[in-house]
């Protein structure tokens, strides 16, 4: 195998696929990246797979002699990222497949490096979905939905199904839902042009899967480098595969019934707050410094007479703080407490100038929604505090 490619292209694509390399691989080959040089297509294909998440990408190169092998992901990425810009020649000296050394030489303008790899035969193939279904989604709707929902997924591995985002295809768009048991985000991307029905042509079959948040975080990073293309989503009962242009991400699906989250969202509210998002977020970020010292709780006081919203923290033995911002408030006055981090996370995921908070009592769910943007519902449970 012999090829010439640019340092920039190789480094960027190695960094991309390295995200699917396990930090504690169950087998030595899983610490490696599979490199395939295709002489006919004049391109390099890179793959990494931790048996749950798989990433594959390809890019053009001058392939003089084709071949394939695996190389240590971290070592190779670290070396290539530090090489000077310009062409890199990568040559595998092992013409004899019985030679177990698999030494590959990287030559650039400043020097020469040798890296010992492993044969490609042991590298597991990335899963494919042959008999499942396929649907096509726009890059924009996927990024929009994932950015607005991922932060609500649980990090508690004992609640496996909650560590993912639930994707549901509906007649008028795509719905994303994520919850950790304390808060819930539901996002609907209502772009009819981006949703082209499912295949096979069974009108009763729709996308209804729970995908690990880790895989979707990587998908978001990959899609942010993409413009204008649709993503083909193949799925069956155990796997989902996202494919577009020259890239592919595969992930196992999370097993178990996802909670019936729609029934958690109240239909009517007796109180409503409309406030400038940036103003509220800035006040929360300042007061969170004190909240972090004690229990992360911030109290919101609704003053409908003066149309003011007050934020206060009383961190016993440490200090206290209070901020007041103007807001449009309807309904009776109320004191209600929240985890300050949950409020900030929700506001950071929203891009609009103004937000609306709707609630009923100090112990019932509050709903945060953006004004004039995507259809997003962020439910957060208040915290009960002693007077």
């Amino acid at each position: 195998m012999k090829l010439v490619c640019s340092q920039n292209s190789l480094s960027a694509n190695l960094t991309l696929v390295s995200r699917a390399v396990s930090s504690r691989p169950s087998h030595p080959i899983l610490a490696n990246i599979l490199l395939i040089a295709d002489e006919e297509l004049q391109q390099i294909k890179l793959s990494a797979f931790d048996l749950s998440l798989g990433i594959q990408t390809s890019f053009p190169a001058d392939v003089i002699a084709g071949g394939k092998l695996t190389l240590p992901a971290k070592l190779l990425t670290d070396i290539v990222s530090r090489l000077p810009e310009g062409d890199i020649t990568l040559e595998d000296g092992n013409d004899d497949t019985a030679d177990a050394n698999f030494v590959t030489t990287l030559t650039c303008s400043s020097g020469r490096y040798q890296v010992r790899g492993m044969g490609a035969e042991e590298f597991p193939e990335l899963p494919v979905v042959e008999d499942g279904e396929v649907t096509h989604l726009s890059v924009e709707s996927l990024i929009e939905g994932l950015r607005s929902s991922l932060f609500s997924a649980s990090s508690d591995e004992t609640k496996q199904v909650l560590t993912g985002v639930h994707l549901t295809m509906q007649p008028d768009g795509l719905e994303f839902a994520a919850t950790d048991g304390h808060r819930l985000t539901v996002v609907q991307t209502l772009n009819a042009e981006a949703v082209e029905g499912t295949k096979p042509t069974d009108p009763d079959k729709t996308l209804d899967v729970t995908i690990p948040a880790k895989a979707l975080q990587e998908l978001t990073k990959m899609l942010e480098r993409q413009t204008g293309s649709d993503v083909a989503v193949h799925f069956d009962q155990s796997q989902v595969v996202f494919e577009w242009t020259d890239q592919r991400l595969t992930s196992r699906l999370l097993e178990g019934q996802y909670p019936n989250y729609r029934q958690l969202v109240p239909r009517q509210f007796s109180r409503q707050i409309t406030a400038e998002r940036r103003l509220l977020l800035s006040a929360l970020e300042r007061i969170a410094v004190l909240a972090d010292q004690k229990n992360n709780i911030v109290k919101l006081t609704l003053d409908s007479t003066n149309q003011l919203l007050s934020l206060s923290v009383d961190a016993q033995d440490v200090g206290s703080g209070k901020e007041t911002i103007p807001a449009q408030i309807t309904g009776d006055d109320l004191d209600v407490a929240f985890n300050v981090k949950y409020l900030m996370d929700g506001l950071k995921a929203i891009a609009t100038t103004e937000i609306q908070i709707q609630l009923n009592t100090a112990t019932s769910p509050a709903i945060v929604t953006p004004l004039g943007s995507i259809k997003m519902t962020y439910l957060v449970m208040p915290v009960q505090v002693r007077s």
Side-chain angles (χ1 to χ4, degrees), residues 180-220:
D180 60 7
H182 303 287
R183 42 145 171 218
L184 161 72
T185 305
V186 182
V187 182
Q188 290 165 321
T189 56
L190 304 174
N191 182 357
E193 295 177 357
V195 181
E196 311 174 358
T198 56
K199 302 172 189 175
T201 55
D202 182 345
D204 297 324
K205 297 275 189 179
T206 56
L207 182 69
D208 188 9
V209 294
T210 307
I211 305 172
K214 180 193 173 188
L216 293 175
Q217 285 161 354
E218 300 308 336
L219 177 66
T220 306

Side-chain angles (χ1 to χ4, degrees), residues 27-82:
H27 190 283
I29 196 78
L30 298 178
N32 286 13
I33 286 174
L34 174 66
L35 188 152
I36 300 175
D38 191 317
E39 195 172 350
E40 184 179 337
L41 296 176
Q42 288 293 294
Q43 71 173 20
I44 301 171
K45 183 184 288 182
L46 301 176
S47 304
F49 187 34
D50 67 4
L51 300 184
S52 174
L53 170 67
I55 295 176
Q56 188 176 86
T57 183
S58 56
F59 59 99
D62 179 10
V63 180
I64 299 154
K68 60 182 178 179
L69 79 163
T70 76
L71 294 167
K74 187 175 187 313
L75 180 62
L76 184 63
T77 304
D78 286 351
I79 289 173
V80 173
S81 67
R82 289 166 172 80

Side-chain angles (χ1 to χ4, degrees), residues 36 81 128 132 147 164 167 194 226 341 361:
I36 300 175
S81 67
V128 293
R147 277 182 183 161
L167 269 68
Q226 194 66 32
K341 180 182 180 297
T361 68

Side-chain angles (χ1 to χ4, degrees), residues 10-40:
L10 183 57
S11 181
N13 284 279
L14 282 172
T15 301
L16 186 69
V17 297
S18 289
R19 295 172 182 148
V21 178
S22 172
S23 55
R24 295 179 179 176
S26 55
H27 190 283
I29 196 78
L30 298 178
N32 286 13
I33 286 174
L34 174 66
L35 188 152
I36 300 175
D38 191 317
E39 195 172 350
E40 184 179 337

